[in-house]
Amino acid sequence: MMSTIALSINNKAIGPIETSDDIMMIEFLHEHLNMTGTKFGCGVGVCHACTVIVDNEDGTSESVRTCINGVSRFNGKKIRTIEGHAKENEFGEIIKLSPVQETFIENFSFQCGWCTSGFVNETTVLVERLKLMPIRVSEIETVIDKALGDHVCRCTGYVKYYQAVKELILSTEGLTRS
């Protein structure tokens, strides 16, 4: 079957476009939009490398895996991919990375980088949630583990990812409380 979809990706309107109902979002991003920053890992939703951010109408955001969700699930949605985090100038040149991207680079959090887009998106969702509902400093490790615990890093970079996220949370005003 075919469906007509329209959505926003990184603040750009996409569609309406007719697409097959059996196309997964990861394939739509790669093959139809030439957006290859979101990585295909396991193909069954286990590794979370393919995670993107869905911005909800109520101002919250959530991470959604694209290898197990068809493109029609995103109809009418506003999503962010890894390509949408850095700030660009009018020529499309990157002029500033997001705080999450900067923290991961400063902490040498990744090796091969295959899992990085999923970690960046998940951490961005976590930081946005903490801005709305700050946590106690004593809860940081538990909160990070809950947010990132399902992500798979084949190069065993977990420790540096977790350290970077902890550093980001502690250094960003308003994410923690006494």
Side-chain angles (χ1 to χ4, degrees):
M1 281 183 70
M2 300 292 282
S3 294
T4 301
I5 63 159
L7 64 154
S8 170
I9 300 177
N10 302 326
N11 294 316
K12 290 177 80 175
I14 306 294
I17 185 171
E18 190 172 38
T19 183
S20 174
D21 287 341
D22 63 352
I23 292 179
M24 293 295 118
M25 185 60 166
I26 186 82
E27 182 182 353
F28 183 76
L29 291 169
H30 288 198
E31 303 299 327
H32 297 273
L33 302 178
N34 198 31
M35 297 178 73
T36 58
T38 302
K39 299 304 180 198
F40 180 85
C42 65
V44 292
V46 174
C47 76
H48 294 250
C50 67
T51 298
V52 297
I53 300 170
V54 174
D55 293 316
N56 299 313
E57 291 181 14
D58 66 0
T60 62
S61 57
E62 63 183 301
S63 60
V64 178
R65 290 164 284 166
T66 59
C67 74
I68 58 171
N69 286 290
V71 69
S72 60
R73 180 196 190 280
F74 297 89
N75 186 33
K77 303 285 185 184
K78 182 178 179 183
I79 71 167
R80 287 179 277 163
T81 67
I82 191 67
E83 290 92 346
H85 289 281
K87 293 194 185 320
E88 297 178 347
N89 64 18
E90 64 272 12
F91 305 110
E93 300 165 331
I94 294 174
I95 57 173
K96 182 154 178 59
L97 297 176
S98 75
V100 174
Q101 291 169 315
E102 286 178 358
T103 299
F104 284 170
I105 289 172
E106 290 167 2
N107 285 275
F108 304 101
S109 296
F110 51 89
Q111 290 178 33
C112 81
W114 201 260
C115 63
T116 304
S117 62
F119 274 100
V120 168
N121 286 328
E122 194 74 58
T123 301
T124 300
V125 169
L126 173 61
V127 168
E128 290 171 356
R129 189 178 82 233
L130 295 179
K131 286 179 182 176
L132 299 173
M133 297 178 1
I135 58 168
R136 289 187 171 88
V137 173
S138 62
E139 301 171 318
I140 288 177
E141 283 86 4
T142 303
V143 168
I144 292 170
D145 189 50
K146 185 176 180 187
L148 302 180
D150 290 334
H151 286 259
V152 175
C153 174
R154 295 177 183 168
C155 300
T156 65
Y158 301 103
V159 171
K160 290 184 179 186
Y161 276 120
Y162 283 46
Q163 287 172 338
V165 175
K166 182 177 180 180
E167 180 182 298
L168 179 63
I169 291 170
L170 289 172
S171 66
T172 304
E173 190 173 325
L175 302 186
T176 59
R177 56 184 166 83
S178 302

